[in-house]
Amino acid sequence: MKVIAAIEADLTTSPLGTTSRVADDLLGNPVLRRTVMRLRECKQLSSVYVITTPEQREDVAALVAGLDVGIETHAVGAPRYQERVRRSRKWALDSWRGGIGGLCCFDESIHAGALAALGQREGADVVASVPAAAVLIDPGMLDAMIEHMGALEHDTRIVFSQAPPGLAAVLNRPSLLEDLHRAGAPPGAVLTYIPDNPQLDLTTKPCCYSVPGPVVETAARVLADTQRGMELVTEALQALGENDLTAERVCRFAAARRAGHLDRLPREVEIELTTDDQLGETTIRPRGERVPRRGPLGVDLVGRIVTELMQYDDSLVVLGGFGEPLLHPELAAILAVCRGAGVFGLTVRTNGLALRGEAIDALIDHDVDVVNVLIDAHSAETYRALHGADGFDQVTGNIEALRQRIIERGAHGPLIVPEMTKLRMTLPEQEPFFDDWIRRVGWANIISPSRFAGQMPDVAVMGMAPPKRWPCGRLWSRAVVLADGTVVTCDQDFSGRQVVGNVREASLESIWTGERLASYRQAHVEGALGDLPLCPACGEWHRP
């Protein structure tokens, strides 16, 4: 079986749409060179190719000079699915699969058409797609995956693993790549749930190569394609050395590092623009009189927050909180500020009632990645019972208007994600809700209700928290800014009972790394939650 490896390298833009790092120095070698050097340790590969544009060929060749690697070029442009993959994967960077559409890490950096053509020309039975920034890819694991694929039936056209991004490749037969190219779909589409053609998840089948437990269980982006990723792989190389860098060793290091590491700023920030909301009587989430009046948050203050976040190139912003962001009088200006600052990922969480006209155009104009619409029902009757208002037809009509406007303008987004809260009342509608919206807009979300640390009634079908408690991971990754500038520990605190600072008075970095929030983290590590206002009664501590 002839297997070749293909690396797609762009010296300007990363697969995520950020500034490329493949030419950056990493402990004495450029990122791309390190990736090629690791691949050349594989015994089962016939050859390795780097694919780039004609304009970048000479510069790419210089980065890998002296290595046994071929340089190929193509000028056919980006694949049709690239923008959708970028928007989806921004929200699941540390996982091999997940986020909107269920797409996979290997979808980020694969041009199915280019790889199909290369595989055909070379007479390859299999093409291994490898990210250019995969400086710690495990050669032994890749060899084992190739041997595993060789032992399977020939009609197995893909082999993947559940390893974190950057540690493994995806193996594709050229026939699959050709079919994907014609369909305008990435390989992860093969794994995605399709309502009209349901099947067992491919992770239960032989095409999913089994990797050790510590590898499956580790959430980490082991790719040198972001600032955080560069910091992780640099520290791993310094701590573990250049030799015997197996996926399992790297994952054990990453897991240990995650337990004690704090970035200067959170990966994700939720910003509440206003507490105004049309569904003040909803029974599902705190709105209306349950929430103290705050805001609207000023455009300048939003600008200060997002500008500060740009110390990292993978920062995520969610405009939501405990009110309706589309009701903010300067919504368009706020979206412009976020995009002007260079925010990596931008989501708006809305009840959808104001999703029309100028608001729709503002979302498209300012390249919002995701519009998350909190519907919670799949019938007018259930919607009325849950929210105390008649708005089902209006919301679903507004979603359709947004979808049509995106098509009319030839825009790539935003991605639309309708959401339902799983309740006893909504259980009969859960499956039709999910399937119908996947057919209509491509994805949907089902979440469990929250008690908001005992501040709201328990309406869950069943408790989802594991039996043994561990520290809440969001204290190390996510911040919430309320519409008066207050920073609270998490998105369960709608009344401002666990305040750690105010961005009107201090920088977000000083609050994030400050003593007050550090004391909350330490309390979680020690399991000493008794004196905290909300944490002891919280059931959401297990969320990633």
Side-chain angles (χ1 to χ4, degrees):
M1 185 171 73
K2 182 177 181 180
V3 183
I4 64 174
I7 303 168
E8 296 175 54
D10 187 325
L11 303 183
T12 303
T13 306
S14 78
L16 296 173
T18 58
T19 300
S20 174
R21 294 176 179 269
V22 297
D24 288 6
D25 178 78
L26 177 56
L27 299 179
N29 275 304
V31 166
L32 178 61
R33 187 176 185 86
R34 281 188 171 274
T35 301
V36 173
M37 290 166 63
R38 292 284 287 178
L39 281 179
R40 291 313 324 175
E41 296 179 29
C42 294
K43 299 178 176 62
Q44 300 293 329
L45 289 176
S46 299
S47 50
V48 177
Y49 296 91
V50 176
I51 304 174
T52 188
T53 63
E55 297 79 13
Q56 296 183 11
R57 180 187 176 98
E58 290 187 10
D59 291 334
V60 167
L63 293 175
V64 296
L67 300 180
D68 183 12
V69 58
I71 309 296
E72 300 291 331
T73 63
H74 76 79
V76 296
R80 283 189 284 165
Y81 49 77
Q82 183 180 70
E83 277 299 324
R84 182 173 184 85
V85 171
R86 282 179 177 174
R87 293 172 191 272
S88 168
R89 288 293 302 165
K90 287 177 182 183
W91 308 92
L93 290 181
D94 291 345
S95 62
W96 75 273
R97 178 170 71 167
I100 301 154
L103 297 177
C104 304
C105 60
F106 45 76
D107 296 325
E108 298 171 11
S109 55
I110 185 169
H111 193 306
L115 267 59
L118 177 64
Q120 288 176 340
R121 193 198 72 189
E122 295 300 310
D125 298 294
V126 176
V127 180
S129 174
V130 179
V135 297
L136 296 184
I137 190 169
D138 186 338
M141 180 186 291
L142 180 51
D143 280 338
M145 290 177 69
I146 293 170
E147 292 175 356
H148 175 75
M149 191 170 194
L152 298 176
E153 296 293 331
H154 189 71
D155 60 0
T156 299
R157 300 202 295 168
I158 185 171
V159 166
F160 60 94
S161 76
Q162 295 172 291
L167 294 179
V170 59
L171 309 181
N172 303 281
R173 293 198 181 272
S175 62
L176 174 62
L177 293 168
E178 292 168 17
D179 290 347
L180 291 169
H181 178 57
R182 282 193 293 268
V190 178
L191 282 69
T192 301
Y193 169 70
I194 302 173
D196 298 318
N197 185 28
Q199 58 179 321
L200 287 174
D201 193 277
L202 290 188
T203 58
T204 66
K205 298 186 177 183
C207 60
C208 179
Y209 174 74
S210 179
V211 295
V215 177
V216 176
E217 295 162 6
T218 298
R221 187 171 185 84
V222 194
L223 283 165
D225 62 350
T226 65
Q227 178 63 32
R228 288 178 226 264
M230 284 286 280
E231 291 173 2
L232 169 59
V233 299
T234 299
E235 291 177 29
L237 285 166
Q238 291 171 332
L240 303 176
E242 302 277 352
N243 301 316
D244 194 29
L245 274 173
T246 64
E248 186 166 356
R249 286 191 72 208
V250 173
C251 284
R252 290 187 184 279
F253 171 83
R257 177 183 184 270
R258 188 183 186 104
H261 179 79
L262 180 69
D263 290 325
R264 298 188 307 277
L265 287 159
R267 166 79 65 82
E268 183 174 333
V269 177
E270 182 167 2
I271 302 175
E272 178 186 80
L273 299 183
T274 177
T275 53
D276 292 342
D277 196 281
Q278 308 97 318
L279 298 178
E281 301 302 317
T282 182
T283 60
I284 297 179
R285 52 186 64 89
R287 294 293 189 271
E289 293 184 357
R290 299 187 190 94
V291 180
R293 297 297 88 197
R294 296 184 290 258
L297 197 64
V299 177
D300 289 346
L301 192 55
V302 174
R304 280 172 42 198
I305 296 168
V306 297
T307 299
E308 192 175 354
L309 287 174
M310 291 310 99
Q311 294 181 49
Y312 289 94
D313 54 358
D314 61 352
S315 295
L316 305 170
V317 171
V318 177
L319 301 181
F322 305 102
E324 173 50 52
L326 298 189
L327 295 182
H328 192 286
E330 296 181 278
L331 174 68
I334 286 175
L335 297 177
V337 162
C338 290
R339 276 298 175 227
V343 165
F344 175 61
L346 181 59
T347 283
V348 174
R349 278 176 61 85
T350 172
N351 61 35
L353 291 169
L355 188 60
R356 54 183 183 269
E358 292 182 0
I360 286 178
D361 282 330
L363 297 170
I364 298 172
D365 288 342
H366 300 293
D367 202 27
V368 171
D369 291 296
V370 181
V371 173
N372 182 199
V373 188
L374 315 180
I375 307 177
D376 301 305
H378 204 50
S379 68
E381 293 75 19
T382 302
Y383 186 96
R384 186 185 308 112
L386 291 175
H387 297 310
D390 290 312
F392 180 77
D393 291 338
Q394 181 180 340
V395 172
T396 55
N398 289 349
I399 292 175
E400 179 60 21
L402 172 59
R403 189 183 75 86
Q404 289 294 336
R405 189 65 173 147
I406 292 169
I407 294 171
E408 290 170 7
R409 295 187 51 177
H412 295 291
L415 303 181
I416 305 170
V417 182
E419 184 169 290
M420 170 181 276
T421 302
K422 181 179 179 180
L423 309 166
R424 294 182 182 89
M425 183 184 296
T426 60
L427 270 179
E429 297 183 355
Q430 180 175 305
E431 186 172 335
F433 175 91
F434 192 70
D435 288 357
D436 186 36
W437 283 114
I438 285 182
R439 293 186 186 102
R440 292 167 69 176
V441 299
W443 199 241
N445 197 26
I446 307 290
I447 66 166
S448 297
S450 174
R451 295 184 296 113
F452 290 90
Q455 298 178 95
M456 293 278 288
D458 186 357
V459 292
V461 175
M462 61 181 295
M464 299 302 294
K468 183 178 179 180
R469 186 157 183 162
W470 60 76
C472 176
R474 293 198 169 191
L475 289 173
W476 280 263
S477 66
R478 197 173 193 274
V480 175
V481 181
L482 301 180
D484 59 0
T486 297
V487 181
V488 292
T489 52
C490 70
D491 58 7
Q492 302 299 291
D493 189 4
F494 60 86
S495 53
R497 295 175 60 188
Q498 292 190 167
V499 174
V500 293
N502 194 300
V503 290
R504 297 181 187 276
E505 303 163 357
S507 68
L508 181 60
E509 180 177 353
S510 66
I511 295 170
W512 181 248
T513 60
E515 292 183 4
R516 188 175 298 181
L517 192 45
S519 70
Y520 279 96
R521 295 188 185 106
Q522 188 61 33
H524 275 251
V525 170
E526 296 174 355
L529 306 179
D531 294 334
L532 306 185
L534 294 179
C535 294
C538 180
E540 306 301 314
W541 50 268
H542 54 93
R543 296 176 300 169

